[in-house]
Amino acid sequence: MHRTRDSRSRSKSKSISRRFCSRNVMIFSLIFLAILPPIFFHFRLRRFNQIQLRRCGWIHNPPLVCAHGGDSSVAFPNTIAAYHSALDSRVDCIEIDVSRSSDGVLFALHDRDLQRLSGNTSSRVGHMSSKQIRELSASHQSTEKINDESIATIQDALMLAASSVRQIILDVKVGPPLYEKGLAKDVLSIVSIMIVSLSHCMLHVDMASSSCRS
Ligand SMILES: *[C@@H]1O[C@H](CO)[C@@H](O)[C@H](O)[C@H]1NC(C)=O
């Protein structure tokens, strides 16, 4: 008798615990079902945003508008007038072609610009001395900045552009007779002198061969 009452009470408590257990399972299942969709959509949305960012991320960092040799629609490229016109149009960036004279002076000049200015299709910057280039430049000089087709040294060109643009690219031309010899050192020494006073500007030096038409 004693034993039966004991076993009955045990089975009763077992059934209570089973009911309690199944209620817990149900509650947890409901919670799980309730939080599953938000979690699912959170990750879907995150994935969508990541894909969107990969595709359109450049919008937050848009490309710079770069005037190669200044604005060549109004003057010969790489002349003072071309630089002034580009700066007046508020471009983001100016690309300056750099060529070296036979006596090692760096001018903001491309062989083809020199040829157009001199009217001689076979002349090259590297075959002319800085004196000859300055004489040629003087013949195209004007007091009006819109007509001033004089040739600038890279110091002059950097000074002119530095405070008006977000980026300056020096497109260094390797040409005869000196070719690469000491060219990078020459350019970098001028850049490092300039950078002290132009520390707010970025300079990107790009060595290109003179045969590369860019
Ligand atoms: C053109 O340039 C070349 C190379 O510098 C030179 O030899 C030639 O005499 C020049 N021609 C004229 C007409 O100046």
Side-chain angles (χ1 to χ4, degrees):
M1 175 120 180
H2 210 74
R3 214 180 283 159
T4 20
R5 201 192 295 158
D6 205 35
S7 84
R8 210 182 288 157
S9 89
R10 218 183 294 146
S11 91
K12 200 175 167 192
S13 90
K14 220 186 256 174
S15 104
I16 287 171
S17 93
R18 209 178 298 141
R19 217 182 303 151
F20 183 72
C21 194
S22 77
R23 212 173 61 189
N24 268 1
V25 166
M26 211 163 80
I27 288 169
F28 280 124
S29 305
L30 281 175
I31 290 172
F32 182 70
L33 285 177
I35 64 171
L36 195 64
I39 288 175
F40 175 76
F41 285 114
H42 168 78
F43 284 106
R44 279 305 293 264
L45 193 66
R46 210 172 71 161
R47 177 106 190 92
F48 175 77
N49 285 339
Q50 278 171 350
I51 290 170
Q52 212 53 11
L53 197 68
R54 207 181 307 148
R55 272 196 206 137
C56 309
W58 65 271
I59 284 173
H60 303 292
N61 193 13
L64 303 180
V65 175
C66 199
H68 191 167
D71 179 356
S72 52
S73 67
V74 296
F76 283 127
N78 293 302
T79 57
I80 297 289
Y83 292 138
H84 271 300
S85 174
L87 297 176
D88 289 346
S89 316
R90 306 174 72 91
V91 292
D92 303 304
C93 152
I94 286 225
E95 181 165 2
I96 299 169
D97 289 309
V98 180
S99 302
R100 187 166 52 171
S101 66
S102 60
D103 53 343
V105 177
L106 295 169
F107 286 96
L109 196 55
H110 193 294
D111 278 334
R112 61 173 173 239
D113 305 330
L114 176 80
Q115 287 158 6
R116 278 156 78 180
L117 286 167
S118 68
N120 182 343
T121 53
S122 50
S123 56
R124 304 194 70 164
V125 183
H127 288 143
M128 293 175 78
S129 68
S130 56
K131 186 167 171 282
Q132 285 173 308
I133 292 170
R134 287 201 170 97
E135 277 164 10
L136 178 67
S137 169
S139 64
H140 289 84
Q141 207 157 1
S142 163
T143 48
E144 278 177 84
K145 66 179 186 181
I146 196 75
N147 290 324
D148 188 359
E149 296 202 314
S150 60
I151 301 162
T153 59
I154 69 162
Q155 288 97 319
D156 294 339
L158 285 172
M159 278 311 244
L160 191 65
S163 53
S164 310
V165 289
R166 286 168 58 195
Q167 190 173 30
I168 295 174
I169 297 173
L170 298 181
D171 189 353
V172 183
K173 304 298 179 191
V174 178
L178 299 172
Y179 297 98
E180 287 95 345
K181 196 176 160 219
L183 184 56
K185 203 167 140 257
D186 286 359
V187 174
L188 291 174
S189 75
I190 288 176
V191 167
S192 63
I193 292 166
M194 301 296 287
I195 222 141
V196 177
S197 52
L198 308 174
S199 55
H200 57 288
C201 289
M202 276 165 67
L203 283 143
H204 167 88
V205 180
D206 175 22
M207 299 290 280
S209 94
S210 61
S211 59
C212 169
R213 314 296 286 177
S214 54

